[in-house]
Amino acid sequence: MDVQTRENQARNHCCSSMALRKVIALCITIACLHDHVALCTEIYEDSNQPVELRVQDLLSRMTLDEKIGQMTQIERYVANFDVMKNFSIGSVLSSGGSTPNSSTTEAWQNMVDDLQAGALATRLGIPMLYGIDAIHGHNNVYGATIFPHNIGLGCTRDPDLVRRVGAATALELRATGIPYTFAPCIAVCRDPRWGRCYESFSEDTSVVRMMTDVIYGLQGNGTPGIPFVSDRSKVAACAKHYVGDGGTQRGINSNDTILSYEDLFRIHVAPYVDAIAKGVSTIMLSYSSWNGVKMHMNHRLISTLLKQELGFKGFVISDMEGIDFITDIPDANYTASVLESINAGLDMIMVPFDYEKFISTLRTLVNTGYISMQRIDDAVTRILRVKFSMGLFEHPLADRSFSPHLGSQDNRMVAREAVRKSLVLLKNGKTESRPFLPLSKNATRVLVAGTHADDVGLQCGGWTISWQGSAGSITKGTTVLDAVKAAVFTTTQVIHEASPTAEVAAKTKADFAIVVVGEQPYAEGAGDNTNLTIPDEGISTIKNVCSEVKCLVILISGRPLVVEPYLPLMEAFVAAWLPGTEGNGVTDVIFGDYDFVGSLSRTWFKSADQLPMNFGDPIYDPLFRFAFGLGMGKLPR
Ligand code: GLC
């Protein structure tokens, strides 16, 4: 396709009205007929050619500025047609909560396509790759299916289920025209005081390794070790955050992971071996350090270990402003940060705002010989390899036939199953000589209490609609209260009290109470927490209700919390983690349509003073051990 044709195609996608499009199309037709423009196809434009040949052909045609543009990822907030075209930008992202004005699939598709038009209007027409954090479903988008966060999925120990979660998430991404997600997080969280522990599948490396099967769901199955995205129902994935993000001192976000190389590899690197073998397209670096050296400038772990020894063939991307935080270089400055990070082996930089400063700094460092053209070519080769292998050159624009997948019933059924299988039953006492759970659907009166009983936002947790998440009916979903009302007989009276006093609870004369309490949403460092107690309102509700009515307590949290003092008050106790929009997955189990199958993906401590404490430690005195989980017996599992 020649430049003229491509430019016209690009402008087509910027026209605001069909009439204008028809006029331009007519002009093109006339021009082509008149000029008999020969449509030559360069090797890189020929999808029948091997990927590596297309990469080398295109690379050989690129200027330094076009190469640097491919290494530049900017936030949508600073992106537009002209920026994409004039700077040859290779990638755009939506950071947490960064959405178009309207949240319809069409608004997302138009936003992505209009920016893509700028990339296609460049001299070589290299399509840009639009990325977003779809880490538990397409969580920035109103109406998307929100799946349990990884801590809950880890409790399922079900690779097939997480593959289906990945596949559903990929479909919902494609419904908005987005072909790339910054997921899965394959952190091995070793200290639940870390604000991102819910993004980790487990404290146990072998569970995290098992869960990397989600990459097959997101990308499809390809040749082991080769970046691969099978078709337009799939997306490029991103294993993150390399490496040791979950091993920092005292769980302090972005802090220092102090370990021997052997232990770093055994605990934190191992899941990346699986991710690479499963064809993950990209790997994102961690803000954290290893033994005092920032990951964003760690040549040994990026270039030597990841690229050479482990043979990673995709591209390495920084975290947001990740190179700006390299502050431990003597007389740290931005130029030094660019120099150190690119020479360490980073391929794409999530700048994401001051792209002109990044581009000019990198151009200067190359032109003065501080960064070799060989290093630049390695980075661009990897980026183009991913773009060619996922078919982005052939299909750069949204396929609008995917629109119906956003929040589809099929996807919600997968999420409901994931909720069921992620629940962990930690206590089930006997009442009147029978186990308290399963609850009866035809009770006379049921009291549903707690701050988290009727709140989709709290069920979903962080990284939902906004970066930090929030309480309230922030998206479409089913709360636990909704689900209880749907599950019980029509003759059953469901009484809802968010924070009842003991007197109010007693007056309900309920047969039993379901108390749903937990944490407020958080993300990243905002979630770092040293005491890990249930918020006071939840504790008082447990005490007020469970002292008056036989109760099941359901904890909605991104990690284990101190619960031992209150266990004697409870007939039954269930960890539901951050289940997402499908609260009916909870009632499917507590009312006995399904049995509990979940087992703890993390050690449940008695007190935060014991931390860090992981399965296998010489001193191990948990309230509930890693992999613990009860069933109700004689029910479908
Ligand atoms: C954030 C997170 C990372 C995310 C990126 C883009 O700071 O550390 O997990 O993918 O920025 O939103």
Side-chain angles (χ1 to χ4, degrees), residues 40-334:
C40 62
T41 301
E42 308 294 354
I43 289 175
Y44 79 90
E45 293 176 308
D46 181 353
S47 61
N48 296 315
Q49 297 293 334
V51 164
E52 295 308 315
L53 192 58
R54 298 180 75 183
V55 169
Q56 292 315 312
D57 176 58
L58 180 51
L59 188 69
S60 67
R61 302 165 187 271
M62 296 172 73
T63 65
L64 174 59
D65 275 2
E66 288 166 335
K67 293 176 181 178
I68 292 174
Q70 284 303 303
M71 297 170 68
T72 307
Q73 184 182 72
I74 66 176
E75 221 282 344
R76 57 169 283 279
Y77 185 75
V78 297
N80 59 47
F81 180 95
D82 291 331
V83 169
M84 300 303 293
K85 181 172 182 292
N86 298 337
F87 292 90
S88 305
I89 299 296
S91 181
V92 181
L93 86 144
S94 280
S95 52
S98 178
T99 65
N101 296 333
S102 157
S103 203
T104 62
T105 51
E106 187 181 13
W108 280 93
Q109 292 158 357
N110 289 343
M111 175 187 76
V112 176
D113 281 358
D114 287 349
L115 294 175
Q116 186 67 282
L120 295 176
T122 55
R123 182 178 71 91
L124 293 167
I126 302 172
M128 64 92 183
L129 185 61
Y130 198 104
I132 196 168
D133 295 278
I135 67 169
H136 63 137
H138 198 1
N139 41 259
N140 286 287
V141 181
Y142 180 85
T145 307
I146 305 300
F147 294 85
H149 268 295
N150 287 349
I151 188 170
L153 295 180
C155 293
T156 71
R157 308 295 201 280
D158 188 338
D160 173 69
L161 173 64
V162 291
R163 268 197 295 273
R164 288 183 286 120
V165 169
T169 300
L171 286 171
E172 301 209 13
L173 277 156
R174 287 293 190 171
T176 59
I178 296 176
Y180 177 33
T181 178
F182 307 123
C185 177
I186 56 175
V188 181
C189 172
R190 303 290 287 173
D191 192 321
R193 291 174 289 188
W194 184 36
R196 307 193 73 164
C197 208
Y198 64 77
E199 294 184 61
S200 167
F201 289 109
S202 178
E203 71 184 39
D204 181 85
T205 301
S206 63
V207 172
V208 177
R209 294 186 61 185
M210 179 197 301
M211 294 291 119
T212 54
D213 263 27
V214 67
I215 292 165
Y216 289 137
L218 289 166
Q219 296 193 162
N221 295 30
T223 307
I226 303 296
F228 178 83
V229 177
S230 60
D231 56 48
R232 282 183 281 169
S233 70
K234 301 295 184 184
V235 297
C238 179
K240 69 184 187 180
H241 312 79
Y242 184 81
V243 69
D245 51 346
T248 58
Q249 296 302 292
R250 298 182 302 287
I252 299 169
N253 189 46
S254 307
N255 200 264
D256 197 12
T257 295
I258 301 174
L259 284 174
S260 68
Y261 180 82
E262 291 69 26
D263 284 347
L264 181 77
F265 196 103
R266 175 175 56 85
I267 299 169
H268 299 286
V269 174
Y272 287 89
V273 177
D274 298 275
I276 292 167
K278 293 170 185 176
V280 73
S281 297
T282 74
I283 289 176
M284 183 185 293
L285 291 184
S286 174
Y287 287 128
S288 60
S289 304
W290 174 52
N291 294 343
V293 178
K294 281 281 184 189
M295 278 309 306
H296 276 74
M297 55 181 281
N298 199 313
H299 184 275
R300 177 185 179 191
L301 293 181
I302 302 169
S303 292
T304 306
L305 175 58
L306 192 62
K307 291 185 173 181
Q308 291 167 26
E309 294 173 9
L310 297 182
F312 177 55
K313 295 286 184 293
F315 67 79
V316 175
I317 184 170
S318 79
D319 202 333
M320 177 177 268
E321 297 175 336
I323 66 172
D324 305 20
F325 298 154
I326 304 176
T327 56
D328 43 8
I329 306 169
D331 60 47
N333 57 52
Y334 188 70

Side-chain angles (χ1 to χ4, degrees), residues 104 181 187 237 240 362 380-381 383 423 480 513 534 568 579 598:
T104 62
T181 178
K240 69 184 187 180
L362 182 49
V380 178
T381 291
I383 293 166
L423 303 175
V480 174
I534 297 172

